[in-house]
Structures are given as C-alpha cells and as structure tokens.
Amino acid sequence: MRIGVTGIYASGKGTVCSFFEELGAVVIDTDIVARDIVNPGTRGLKEIINTFGTDYIDGNGCLMRREFANYIFADPKLVEQLNAITHPLILEESLKQSDGPDIFMMNTPLLFESGFHTYMYKNIVVTADENSVIERGMKRDNITADEIKARLNFQIPLKEKIKRADYIIDNTKSLENTKRQVLELSNTLNT
C-alpha cells in the first residue's frame, strides 16, 4: 500500500513520515531519490547536462544543487524542463523501492504537481502556516525567505492540496498533537 504524503515546503512531511515509520511503515523520501538520480554518472545528471549545460557542475562532476536551484526557480520554463527530466526518473525509482507488501509512505512535496498521487492508495496533506514553514525552512536548509517563497510559487497552493487530500494532518501545534493524529490515521489505514 502506497500512501502519498505532501504539503507545502517545510510543513512537516518528514516529521509525519517519521511518526508513521515508528509505527512500522516504510518511508521513501522523494527528495532523497531526487538527489540520487542526479549523482555523477546517472542518467538524470547526463540529461540535465544535455539540457542545461555544465555551468552548475563542479570539478568533481557533481551538480551544485543550490546554485542550480536558484537558476531554475527564476524561470517557470526552466522548472518545466527540469521536471520533465526528473519527475519520471523519481517516480520510476520510488515505485521500484515501494514494490512489496509493506505500507509505504511516499514523502513527496510535489505529489499532485507531478501526478504521483495517481499511483497512491490514499494521499495525506500536512498543513502548517506560511510563517512557520518559512522559519523552519530557513533553519533547516540554511536558505533565505526569498528562496523559500520562490519554491512555494511552483507548488500548488496549500488550499488546493487540501481539497485533493484524502486525509489532512495539522502540524501547526505541538509534536504530540501531530503524533496523535498520525496514530489515529495509522489505525484507520490498517483497518
């Protein structure tokens, strides 16, 4: 059983998934998969180089992720080009990793934007207010509020994600409150 977990940037998807993992689910984080598919020598990195050139490749053949992200998120057409390369590769690898009898929590920020939701049994949206996500994102990723807002501009607004969700977990209060919601939902999914 694949369960999609999404929300806006830094809303707490990873926290929610870690609570599900404590309850026995297997977590697949598509952000990690996204990094893996652009490692040196991969098809993903080769396609990025073919499309965007080598300006954002360092001396070790690695993608300079932050600089590349700032370049890409400045232009919607570039985002579309990158997504056309990476989304199919991320989906392919994520489906391969989630082939089995377990419950798989697919932590993916672009669940609906990428179409991944159609491969899931159910979809969860983790909510948090924008001020909290900007504060969390700045601390966690050491990036600016403007960089976070640029990324949010390429995500479906939270209100729209909520409309598309099968379940919603509110991560604006305490971790204990979030954990309680995860436990209740886990019980629902396991029945």
Side-chain angles (χ1 to χ4, degrees), residues 122-169:
K122 295 287 182 183
N123 294 292
I124 300 167
V125 170
V126 180
T127 64
D129 64 90
E130 189 171 318
N131 290 336
S132 295
V133 303
I134 289 173
E135 185 178 313
R136 287 178 195 164
M138 288 171 60
K139 284 181 186 175
R140 183 188 73 193
D141 297 335
N142 194 30
I143 61 176
T144 68
D146 287 340
E147 287 174 302
I148 293 169
K149 288 176 184 176
R151 293 173 186 197
L152 288 173
N153 287 335
F154 290 98
Q155 294 185 5
I156 294 172
L158 184 58
K159 287 181 183 179
E160 182 60 30
K161 288 184 183 206
I162 289 170
K163 288 179 189 174
R164 297 180 184 194
D166 296 298
Y167 302 103
I168 298 162
I169 293 180

Side-chain angles (χ1 to χ4, degrees), residues 45 48-49 52-59 61-72 78:
L45 187 59
I48 286 172
I49 290 170
F52 301 103
T54 58
D55 290 347
Y56 298 97
I57 306 299
D58 69 15
C62 296
L63 183 65
M64 296 184 295
R65 295 178 58 79
R66 184 173 183 179
E67 295 84 353
F68 185 62
N70 288 336
Y71 164 69
I72 291 296
L78 296 177

